[in-house]
Amino acid sequence: MDDDKERFLMEFGEYYGYPNSPKNIDQIRSSEFKRLEELVYLDHAGATLYSESQMEMILKDFTTNVYGNPHSQSDTSSSASDLVRSARQQVLDYCNASPKDYKCIFTSGATAALKLVGEAFPWSKESCFMYTMENHNSVLGIREYALAKGAAALAVDVEEIENQNGHPRNDLSSLKLSQRSAQRRSRTEIFEDIPTANSLGSAYNLFAFPSECNFSGMKFSLDLVKLMKENSERALEGSPYSSGQWMVLIDAAKGCATQPPDLARFPADFVAISFYKIFGYPTGLGALVVRTDAAKLLKKTYFSGGTVAASIADIDFVRRREGIEESFENGTISFLSLASLHHGFRIINNLTLNAIDRHTSCLMSYVRKKLSALRHGNGAVVCTLYGDLTKMSSREWGPTISFNFRRPDGSWHGYREVEKLASLSGIQLRTGCFCNPGACAKYLGLSHTDLFSNFEAGHVCWDDNDILNGKPVGAVRISFGYMSSFEDAKKFISFVVNSFVPLPNLAGKGYLCSGESTPFSGKDVHLKAITVYPIKSCAGFSVDSWPLSSTGLQHDREWLLRSASGEILTQKKVPEMCLISTFIDLAQGILYMESPRCNIKLQINLDPALSDGVKGEMDLQSQRYEVQCYGKEVDLWFTKAIARPCTLLRCFPLENPCFMDESQSLGICRDVKCKLNFVNEAQFLLVSEDSVSELNNRLMSNIQKGNCEQPVNVDPMRFRPNLVISGAEPFAEDNWRSLIIGKAYFTSLGGCNRCQMINLDPVTGHVKRSKEPLATLASFRRLKGKIFFGILLRYENGEAVVGLKDNEDVTPQIQVGQRVYPESRVE
């Protein structure tokens, strides 16, 4: 046992690992979750994981029993009906709810349960829908039903008032609701028909809150149920809705995994549950636990199979079933999924909820403390944790932590950077706002102006815009499940320390540098290889010499493949593209293409006048192009080669390029000052053979240290460079401002941002499962969220060539073996 775990067990050993259960955590991981051997899964708030024995029991159940549609009277249907009744009781028992007072309605998920309440609630113009700021979008969506019926909507913040000793009070007076502005769909209606005090007092209102915030992990006091049902006038003092008849909805989709609400103590009217967040399987199944008296107030419009006692097709006649469950469960419920619940609850009951809560809480507390203590070399805080940090007791937090990382200068690491680096380290976590916009804005300090500005700048959920106007627009979240281990927590902390805490020596080998220029170097650096890639993302061909043009290497990335839907195809989504080989015979003026999936070699004449097809224009990466398409025969050849419908397009850069707003594609098309073919960033990519050798040395070192599973030897062509040089110091190219090859002058545009495409095997066309070489590059070649390798170049058309006579012609051509003369930057 290592020292870290020994110290952890000294503090948490009483609660960690299920010491009183049939299996401890190590046995659970080795027997039930062998698939996690090389993976750290930290997104249990999104979906927890099913165990192997759970799935084995389900399979045995399904293969030894026959379950029919429960809407029948056969023996197999009766068996299914018995399972459904048993499942309802298990859910009620899970929430300590008496079947006399509560009913269990099965839905397609927690979202469907919340939607059911919203659409069936008895809204009126006198009603109010009140909800905490920390609520999932699925709860906020209820607001649409309320506002559509003329009701008001009101967001509140919940505060817990402490006593003189700094501890929460034990009575309802400890809870305070801070109200925000009330919302109504139409202000005209407010002044035309203002609700009176009497009408407000008789209206039905709904208050919704989560048992646990899925953003911060903070648990909400269930005393809110009693407060709103027994003392709403004190809770809403000064509000016209304080005297209404309040009903309470708990979104327990997240909280149910470790601490379901005790409905015998806290008699909420509605509780929404999601089962895959409790024991992983089945997905697409949830429940609404509803108080019987509250269910009678719901007004359901739609009817379907199973919800009616009788109906007549050609006249307006329907009689609904009286049973609460039957009247709200439309059609045939997912009875096989319900049969699976029994096996999921068996796993939880064997461990016990209290033990699961203690186990996950101590992991959460350990990681919170570790993150809070991290400091940069200058003393600056590394991690900003979200939530009320004055309440660090594990009882007030679920096993969820959200945060963002800062650099030593106080600037933020984008959460997408964290997510990508974590994935390379085998750590699965979640980033963004987690469908909780209120908590996100509250904890990140985003005003309404910020939110509108971000949206107008193009930011939407799940995009890559993680930092706007210097502020993060989301966070990183990790969450633990019942099968999480100390080793998971330790690996995560090690990842954080290795990736975000060290202060790299920017002048050292392997780090990108910048500074002022120095004279040309006299070192014997020469051009080792030239590669032309005629079709974007397809294989290229090597040449000893090649002409230059105003767009780079002549005919480089001059063609691309576009899908039937208009998407530009690349190897990231279509790895088979690397199997299409290409070659250009300049003397004959022909582009040749071959594919192992096609029997014939395809030929295209380089003279556009000799090719059929129409011309048009298209926008790509902030630049407008004139393009030419080809005939049906050519498109069918490529369709067969990549096994999907596509079209071949050729690029003809406009004489006066039309550039779109650069902000629309920040970081995508860097060189907007010259003509480009279908390239991502610049005309040329240069890679140093010596830098590749240094990378391979580091990869071999990782093998020797046991940090890498299998040997990885990277060839320079893995990076799809146009130019490969040899004879320079490793990564010396980072510091080059410009260079001359032969008689051609090039300007460096900086490093090339690498992605997982470099893990694609260019021979077989299969994506490597290994995280290398990108993971190793990320450990020493990362700058402001990007992983750099190689440099991007712009050809300057020979206008600034140094050392040439005034009357000497510049040959627009480069050749293997030519000397490379770089001009460097120094600090």
Side-chain angles (χ1 to χ4, degrees), residues 103-169:
K103 304 300 179 186
C104 174
I105 301 170
F106 287 115
T107 63
S108 63
T111 296
L114 295 166
K115 179 175 181 288
L116 189 158
V117 175
E119 65 187 4
F121 194 82
W123 304 109
S124 67
K125 291 183 179 180
E126 293 78 23
S127 297
C128 178
F129 173 50
M130 186 171 71
Y131 52 91
T132 59
M133 283 293 292
E134 295 96 331
N135 259 310
H136 195 277
N137 270 328
S138 297
V139 174
L140 298 187
I142 295 175
R143 183 177 63 189
E144 295 300 296
Y145 291 108
L147 294 177
K149 293 290 186 178
L154 181 65
V156 297
D157 291 293
V158 179
E159 300 176 18
E160 292 191 37
I161 304 172
E162 300 176 342
N163 59 26
Q164 294 180 350
N165 296 323
H167 299 292
R169 298 176 184 173

Side-chain angles (χ1 to χ4, degrees), residues 46 128 137 188 319 327 339 370 692 704 784:
C128 178
N137 270 328
T188 302
R319 289 294 180 270
S327 62
K370 287 289 186 180
V692 174
Q704 295 170 351
K784 293 188 176 179

Side-chain angles (χ1 to χ4, degrees), residues 8 12 16 42 212 216-219 254 356-372 385 389 391-402 478-481 484-486 489 492-493:
F8 171 82
F12 299 107
Y16 173 77
L42 297 176
E212 179 185 320
S216 67
M218 187 181 72
K219 294 181 180 180
K254 172 62 184 74
I356 291 173
D357 188 30
R358 292 194 298 267
H359 173 79
T360 55
S361 291
C362 67
L363 291 173
M364 178 273 298
S365 297
Y366 171 78
V367 173
R368 274 188 177 274
K369 290 179 180 179
K370 287 289 186 180
L371 291 177
S372 298
L385 294 162
L389 302 183
K391 301 175 181 178
M392 287 301 294
S393 167
S394 61
R395 293 183 59 189
E396 295 168 327
W397 294 90
T400 297
I401 310 171
S402 65
I478 64 170
S479 48
F480 297 101
S484 297
S485 67
F486 168 78
F492 173 73
I493 293 298

Side-chain angles (χ1 to χ4, degrees), residues 70-123:
H71 290 170
S72 185
Q73 302 298 317
S74 67
D75 290 343
T76 55
S77 297
S78 296
S79 297
S81 296
D82 290 341
L83 276 175
V84 173
R85 282 191 291 271
S86 175
R88 293 193 203 280
Q89 187 58 52
Q90 283 184 303
V91 175
L92 294 178
D93 290 343
Y94 195 69
C95 296
N96 195 22
S98 166
K100 294 180 181 179
D101 301 321
Y102 285 91
K103 304 300 179 186
C104 174
I105 301 170
F106 287 115
T107 63
S108 63
T111 296
L114 295 166
K115 179 175 181 288
L116 189 158
V117 175
E119 65 187 4
F121 194 82
W123 304 109

Side-chain angles (χ1 to χ4, degrees), residues 213-227:
C213 175
N214 77 316
F215 186 97
S216 67
M218 187 181 72
K219 294 181 180 180
F220 281 77
S221 172
L222 295 184
D223 282 327
L224 286 168
V225 176
K226 293 182 178 179
L227 177 66

Side-chain angles (χ1 to χ4, degrees), residues 121 200-206 228 232 241 243-247 297:
F121 194 82
L200 288 172
S202 60
Y204 289 104
N205 306 310
L206 181 65
M228 291 307 301
S232 61
Y241 304 100
S243 59
Q245 300 184 49
W246 281 93
M247 307 178 79
L297 298 175

